[in-house]
Structures are given as C-alpha cells and as structure tokens.
Amino acid sequence: MTTTRTGSPTTSSVHHDGSDASDLAARFAAGDESALAEAYRTWGVMVQGMCRRTLGDVHEAEDVTQTVFLAAWRGRAGFRPERGALSAWLVGITRRKIADALEARSRRAALVATAGSLLTVGAGQGAADPQAALDRVLISQSLAELSAQQRTVIELAFFRDLTQTQIAQVTGWPLGTVKSHTRRGLRRLGDCLSHR
C-alpha cells in the first residue's frame, strides 16, 4: 500500500508493491515505464495538491500535474537518485511548472486586456490609427486559427461581454467545458499573436 505523506516522502517510504522509494527512483532513472506509472500513483496527488493550492483552478492544476510528470520523464537523465529523493526532485519540477503557469496566466491576462481594448476600438478611431487597424487584423487572423468552440467562447466573452456561466447557458455546454475552451483558446490565441 502506498504511504501518503503531506511533506516530501523520504527514500525509505514503502510503495504498494513492497518496493522502496530508492528502488523506484533507480528504475525511474533507468527509463522503466512502470516506474513512471508508479511515481504518478505515489506522488500525483501531492503534485496536484500543490498545483491546486497555488493556482486555484482544478483544471489548470490537472494540466500542470501532467506537465510535471511529462517533464520529469523527459528529463529523467538529469535525475540522480544518489543526490536526493525522487519526490523532492518532483517537488522542484512542480514549483518550476507552477511558476511557468502563473507567468503564462499573467501573459494571457495582459493579452486579453490588450485584445479586449483593440476589439472594442470604434471604426472612426481605427481609421485614424493604422497600428490599431493592423492589430485588429492580426487578432482576427489569430481568432480564425482557433477551433470553432474556442472561437465561440472567446467571441461571446469579448463581443457580448458574457460570463462563463452565461456562455454555458447560451451554448448549452457544461460550465467545465466552457472553462476548458476558454483557457485553451486564450493560450492558443496568445501563442498565435506572439508568433506574428
């Protein structure tokens, strides 16, 4: 049975199959895929809890948790079991990925504010300001690259000033689906705009 701890588990903790954490760490570092699954079962709740407490969003916490384990697996060559516990290494990756998520959130918020102000510029103002006209064209092109669902929720939010709850009512989609489309749409919109 897996030992659940609120802090960083030590290398002496015993796992569900009777193996200890040092054996799991060695298998993980060696590229044993079953060790990745076991690490997720053992510390996934801890990682997701850290993400949820800091980010305050269950869906984003789930996304970041997956990113943490994917980054850990891809970067396993950099993990040295003799230097510390696998759990501590995962905590370090989690902190970095949370910081990345918060930074991305700030960039998205700035983008949303900019996009919102550009989308509401009147036609008369746009004609007088060539840069504003160019910005509107870039935003329109970027919106066209989103999926239909993502474009719908973003347009309803910006052009009709609807909340996510109201968008769920208008579209008939569950609120969680609306939130996912919004989050992914804004992320993709930000990526599109940053590459133009």
Side-chain angles (χ1 to χ4, degrees):
M1 173 174 257
T2 303
T3 315
T4 306
R5 299 172 187 252
T6 54
S8 296
T10 65
T11 56
S12 63
S13 61
V14 176
H15 299 283
H16 68 282
D17 63 357
S19 64
D20 64 20
S22 60
D23 176 60
L24 172 59
R27 289 177 23 242
F28 185 92
D32 180 348
E33 290 184 14
S34 68
L36 172 62
E38 186 176 339
Y40 185 82
R41 284 192 303 270
T42 303
W43 294 299
V45 171
M46 174 191 72
V47 168
Q48 190 165 347
M50 287 176 63
C51 295
R52 192 170 44 247
R53 282 190 300 277
T54 306
L55 299 171
D57 181 279
V58 174
H59 299 294
E60 191 173 11
E62 290 170 357
D63 289 347
V64 173
T65 299
Q66 291 175 5
T67 302
V68 167
F69 282 93
L70 181 60
W73 184 247
R74 287 180 175 163
R76 67 188 178 279
F79 170 62
R80 298 285 181 263
E82 66 276 7
R83 291 187 186 167
L86 179 56
S87 59
W89 190 63
L90 289 170
V91 166
I93 294 172
T94 303
R95 288 180 178 145
R96 287 192 299 278
K97 294 302 178 185
I98 288 172
D100 291 348
L102 291 170
E103 184 180 331
R105 183 187 286 177
S106 296
R107 283 194 311 267
R108 284 193 305 271
L111 173 66
V112 167
T114 302
S117 66
L118 292 172
L119 290 171
T120 57
V121 171
Q125 291 175 295
D129 184 358
Q131 183 59 47
L134 177 61
D135 288 340
R136 282 196 306 280
V137 168
L138 291 176
I139 290 171
S140 295
Q141 289 174 342
S142 297
L143 282 170
E145 294 181 25
L146 302 180
S147 72
Q149 296 87 352
Q150 292 168 351
R151 189 170 45 256
T152 297
V153 295
I154 289 173
E155 288 176 347
L156 287 172
F158 285 111
F159 296 129
R160 294 188 43 196
D161 200 27
L162 299 182
T163 66
Q164 289 182 326
T165 302
Q166 291 169 328
I167 292 170
Q169 292 169 349
V170 167
T171 61
W173 298 333
L175 182 58
T177 301
V178 170
K179 289 181 177 182
S180 293
H181 286 317
T182 302
R183 186 175 66 252
R184 291 187 178 111
L186 289 174
R187 186 178 301 152
R188 184 147 183 226
L189 183 62
D191 291 343
C192 291
L193 289 171
S194 67
H195 290 102
R196 292 192 183 278

